[in-house]
């Protein structure tokens, strides 16, 4: 194992941020992610979990906020529904430099918080 990362997001605080700054959605999330959550009655918990995934990846790699762009890592879903991480750009470089050959992701949310747990192998 190379690293683990976990992050929690307060959903109400995240919702207020998205309402205050509507462009935040496209700054933080890829079209793939925005398309996936568009079908949800309330997309904010799923978006918050995806934001937490990015933060958890940074922690697993041992890098800080700003080490790579928010569009350099995103969450995809397998046909089974299992979430997985996709990488490009600087995040892909950092992952390769660290020797990561596999990523594992678990997402969760309640009405109050969203979380992500990431393992870099």
């Amino acid at each position: 194992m190379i690293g683990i990362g976990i992050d929690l997001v307060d959903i109400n605080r995240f919702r207020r941020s998205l309402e205050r700054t509507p462009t935040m959605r496209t700054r933080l999330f890829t079209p793939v992610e925005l398309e996936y959550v568009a079908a949800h009655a309330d997309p904010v918990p799923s978006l918050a979990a995806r934001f937490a995934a990015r933060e958890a990846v940074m922690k697993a790699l041992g890098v800080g906020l700003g080490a790579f762009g928010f569009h350099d890592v995103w969450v995809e879903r397998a046909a089974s529904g299992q979430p997985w991480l996709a990488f490009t750009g600087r995040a892909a470089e950092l992952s390769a430099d660290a020797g990561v050959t596999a990523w594992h992701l678990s997402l969760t949310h309640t009405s109050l918080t969203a979380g992500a747990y990431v393992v870099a192998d």
Side-chain angles (χ1 to χ4, degrees), residues 25-31 54 69-74 86 88:
R25 284 180 191 241
T26 55
R27 268 195 349 231
L28 295 179
F29 303 104
T30 65
R54 288 161 169 78
F70 287 109
H71 283 220
D72 285 358
V73 175
W74 66 96
T88 193

Side-chain angles (χ1 to χ4, degrees), residues 39-111:
H40 292 64
D42 181 6
V44 176
S46 290
L47 289 174
R50 282 156 176 71
F51 182 77
R54 288 161 169 78
E55 293 280 327
V57 166
M58 290 177 196
K59 292 172 183 177
L61 287 172
V63 298
L65 187 63
F68 55 81
F70 287 109
H71 283 220
D72 285 358
V73 175
W74 66 96
V75 176
E76 296 264 3
R77 294 199 67 90
S80 66
Q82 179 182 5
W84 56 276
L85 294 164
F87 289 78
T88 193
R90 183 70 180 134
E93 292 171 12
L94 289 167
S95 179
D97 290 348
V100 178
T101 58
W103 286 93
H104 309 279
L105 169 66
S106 181
L107 301 175
T108 190
H109 60 77
T110 68
S111 60

